[in-house]
Amino acid sequence: MSHALDALSDHRDALNDVSLAALCDAPGRRDRFVHSLDGMTVDLSRHLATEETLGLLVALARERDVERLRDAMFAGEPVNTTEHRAALHVALRNQSDRPMLVDGVDVMPGVRDVLRRMQAFCAALHGGDWRGATGERITDVVNIGIGGSDLGPRMATEALRPWWTSGIRAHFVSNVDPSHLADTVASLDPARTLFIVASKTFGTQETLANAHAARSWIVDALGGDAVERHFVAVSTDAGRVAAFGIDTANMFEFWDWVGGRYSMWSAIGLSIAAAIGFDRFLDMLEGAHGMDAHFREAAPEQNVPMLLGLLDCWYRNCWGCQSRAVLPYDQHLSMLPAYLQQLEMESNGKRTRLDGTPTSKGTSMVVWGAPGTNGQHSFHQMLHQGTTLVPCDFLVAASSCEPSPDARGDMLIANCLAQAEALARGRSLEEVIEDGTPPELAPHKVMPGNRPSTTILYPRLDPKRLGALIAMYEHRVFTQGAVWGIDSFDQWGVELGKVLAGEILPGLTGEGPVSGDAVSRGLAAEVAAMRES
Ligand code: G6Q
């Protein structure tokens, strides 16, 4: 029972005939709906929201205690209640002198110690002091990890490709499909390749299987003694790292209060630091820390991540939106939609509240998207004229990282602004007919408009900006979860599939009986038949 949500639902009914074009044109709209954050503009004008909506959303945040829950997260309280853990990723980028406590113990000395070890490792790698077993310099680093131990570093290294000036190329292997490792190492020289085995638990089946296969690749080429110079680990479990055969002197620690999908700021980001250099990795942490301070200190009315999260709840719970599109008009952010899929859908794709009762309202939207302008030539059709309302995030830099002598950078921005405008304004039947369109064709050219979007504009994508941007999304997701009263930091829904895969595997390898339900057993039998034919 939520009075604030009921009030929002009534208010939404009153907005049935609202015109987004008229809202956008109203005097003073920019003053209230455009936010400036350390040089980044977050424009909320193109939302199906009035001053009153914002007031009601802030009332929702107050009713759901979002500020207190935020403070509890920053205080290291066990906000991940089903796993009895803190979710203190903000400590990983804490650049202040403020202690960050978990169970009454300041975690900052440990955080700084690992950062110093990462710094020393990067210096050795980049300076040529850390060499392969045959004395060659390392030129390629391959991160082996999956989920949170893959998507964050992969997204960030791609985003920061223009800063790959350390002489190290970063690669990522996540899929247990043997093709992923094979394709990745096909062009690499074992003598110059270093593997980072990144796994919080060091028990993830896919990662360990790939790490064993990578070790065979090194051993076959360079001999067993080479493993020590070609493998390092990032994990919370020193015992398992040692059991795998990696010297724990070459292990970078993190902690159980760092959730996998919130871990790119920890040593899980070692591949980022290896590619862009440690100082720039620190810049990324600094950008995130700035956003943390904003989220922690700004009043809800001015708190950008909080407002974004509240607007998500508005669309999900009052407009029935099932999905949100993330449209970076920035090629280097091509991995952002995939990264946000995990951040948002694994965090808030839940149906049970903290108190164990089922939710009565929708939770996580489906997050999807692709870089602009590519998407314009495929799925934007549905955004403009489909029967489903899909709020969009547009992200665009004022200046591309790649200066060009022609107008391509301006074309990119023009298209980004045009898409958001077209979605909001649409095109009426009258306008279409006025253009001389034949009557039988006119209905097909009508665009309903009133389709909301956020535009996030930043000067240029750099490590600090990326850090701020990702931290903004993290806190947006936190706000959604707080409103919905769910645990944003667990992921029990992924467990059943892992158990069933473990039961089905022996039947495929021939080491045990064929198991699974009738459909799985039937398909497993077909696999066997296809392999024999
Ligand atoms: C993230 C999830 C999940 C996790 C992977 C890898 O929040 O927990 O994506 O990151 O399953 O786990 P390991 O790092 O333990 O290998």
Side-chain angles (χ1 to χ4, degrees):
M1 173 83 176
S2 162
H3 295 301
L5 259 187
D6 288 346
L8 275 162
S9 295
D10 292 345
H11 172 65
R12 184 256 172 272
D13 291 342
L15 289 184
N16 261 342
D17 297 323
V18 75
S19 155
L20 190 45
L23 287 179
C24 290
D25 288 342
R29 178 85 174 171
R30 288 192 63 76
D31 298 341
R32 187 64 191 87
F33 285 80
V34 179
H35 297 265
S36 181
L37 278 180
D38 194 22
M40 177 165 79
T41 296
V42 179
D43 192 329
L44 306 178
S45 336
R46 288 197 169 119
H47 278 290
L48 292 162
T50 62
E51 289 271 358
E52 188 185 352
T53 320
L54 294 186
L56 290 168
L57 287 171
V58 167
L60 176 66
R62 295 237 156 85
E63 182 193 82
R64 295 309 177 96
D65 245 358
V66 174
E67 290 168 276
R68 188 187 61 75
L69 290 164
R70 170 202 62 192
D71 294 345
M73 176 178 71
F74 276 89
E77 290 178 24
V79 291
N80 178 354
T81 55
T82 69
E83 296 182 305
H84 314 292
R85 284 178 189 164
L88 202 56
H89 41 285
V90 291
L92 301 166
R93 57 232 192 180
N94 174 27
Q95 317 251 303
S96 73
D97 296 335
R98 181 197 292 266
M100 303 293 277
L101 306 179
V102 173
D103 296 330
V105 178
D106 184 9
V107 299
M108 287 314 300
V111 168
R112 292 193 190 103
D113 183 51
V114 173
L115 282 172
R116 273 191 293 272
R117 293 193 54 230
M118 289 170 68
Q119 181 175 27
F121 176 73
C122 287
L125 205 56
H126 300 150
D129 293 332
W130 180 295
R131 289 180 182 245
T134 58
E136 301 277 359
R137 282 180 84 125
I138 299 295
T139 53
D140 294 88
V141 161
V142 182
N143 186 84
I144 298 181
I146 197 165
S149 299
D150 166 68
L151 282 163
R154 190 142 59 103
M155 176 276 297
T157 46
E158 188 55 36
L160 300 174
R161 197 173 266 276
W163 280 266
W164 288 26
T165 49
S166 66
I168 302 279
R169 290 180 294 263
H171 311 265
F172 293 85
V173 172
S174 53
N175 200 334
V176 76
D177 183 336
S179 303
H180 201 178
L181 178 67
D183 291 352
T184 305
V185 299
S187 59
L188 301 184
D189 174 0
R192 294 171 168 274
T193 300
L194 177 98
F195 290 95
I196 300 174
V197 185
S199 176
K200 180 174 170 177
T201 55
F202 231 78
T204 303
Q205 190 190 51
E206 296 96 316
T207 298
L208 291 186
N210 275 328
H212 279 288
R215 185 166 62 181
S216 298
W217 183 72
I218 288 290
V219 170
D220 289 351
L222 307 171
D225 292 345
V227 170
E228 141 183 38
R229 302 307 296 168
H230 292 268
F231 280 83
V232 299
V234 182
S235 186
T236 58
D237 195 323
R240 284 177 167 175
V241 169
F244 177 86
I246 295 177
D247 187 344
T248 49
N250 298 331
M251 168 184 148
F252 299 84
E253 185 193 8
F254 69 117
W255 306 272
D256 70 359
W257 44 264
V258 182
R261 54 193 173 276
Y262 298 87
S263 66
M264 61 180 256
W265 323 100
S266 71
I268 288 288
L270 189 60
S271 50
I272 310 172
I276 66 172
F278 186 76
D279 288 349
R280 285 164 176 156
F281 181 75
L282 281 186
D283 290 344
M284 189 181 82
L285 300 190
E286 188 190 333
H289 177 62
M291 186 59 70
D292 293 342
H294 169 77
F295 182 57
R296 183 180 192 151
E297 290 159 13
E301 292 79 359
Q302 301 301 328
N303 195 312
V304 174
M306 207 178 280
L307 288 171
L308 288 168
L310 291 168
L311 283 164
D312 293 332
C313 298
W314 168 235
Y315 289 116
R316 181 74 184 99
N317 298 137
C318 300
W319 292 81
C321 295
Q322 302 274 3
S323 83
R324 198 178 83 246
V326 175
L327 310 169
Y329 278 66
D330 191 327
Q331 184 58 30
H332 288 130
L333 286 178
S334 59
M335 279 291 300
L336 185 68
Y339 171 81
L340 292 179
Q341 276 172 348
Q342 183 188 25
L343 181 67
E344 199 155 328
M345 293 161 71
E346 198 174 42
S347 295
N348 289 339
K350 315 273 165 75
R351 55 190 300 114
T352 306
R353 284 192 288 231
L354 290 169
D355 63 5
T357 59
T359 54
S360 56
K361 298 280 180 195
T363 57
S364 175
M365 286 191 263
V366 174
V367 178
W368 58 284
T373 60
N374 297 6
Q376 292 175 208
H377 299 267
S378 64
F379 57 77
H380 279 226
Q381 164 63 36
M382 178 267 208
L383 298 178
H384 289 290
Q385 287 188 314
T387 51
T388 306
L389 187 69
V390 182
C392 300
D393 289 0
F394 288 94
L395 299 104
V396 67
S399 304
S400 167
C401 288
E402 190 64 45
S404 70
D406 49 39
R408 282 175 295 160
D410 293 331
M411 282 180 204
L412 183 72
I413 298 172
N415 274 281
C416 177
L417 302 187
Q419 287 296 311
E421 184 173 329
L423 285 166
R425 294 188 175 267
R427 206 146 177 263
S428 67
L429 187 62
E430 294 72 36
E431 288 172 307
V432 173
I433 288 170
E434 258 174 40
D435 279 355
T437 305
E440 69 280 9
L441 193 55
H444 298 279
K445 293 192 158 192
V446 170
M447 320 237 302
N450 260 12
R451 305 203 161 192
S453 63
T454 300
T455 300
I456 300 166
L457 171 67
Y458 42 89
R460 195 167 77 123
L461 194 61
D462 61 21
K464 192 173 168 198
R465 189 69 57 193
L466 180 75
L469 205 54
I470 299 306
M472 183 180 79
Y473 274 102
E474 285 180 349
H475 297 321
R476 173 182 189 165
V477 169
F478 178 88
T479 302
Q480 297 168 7
V483 168
W484 290 326
I486 55 181
D487 186 339
S488 297
F489 299 105
D490 63 12
Q491 56 281 316
W492 298 106
V494 303
E495 295 302 325
L496 177 59
K498 286 188 199 172
V499 172
L500 292 181
E503 289 172 10
I504 291 169
L505 181 63
L508 291 170
T509 58
E511 288 162 351
V514 176
S515 105
D517 68 5
V519 179
S520 296
R521 290 198 309 273
L523 288 167
E526 286 196 37
V527 169
M530 284 182 190
R531 284 176 175 175
E532 276 167 20
S533 67

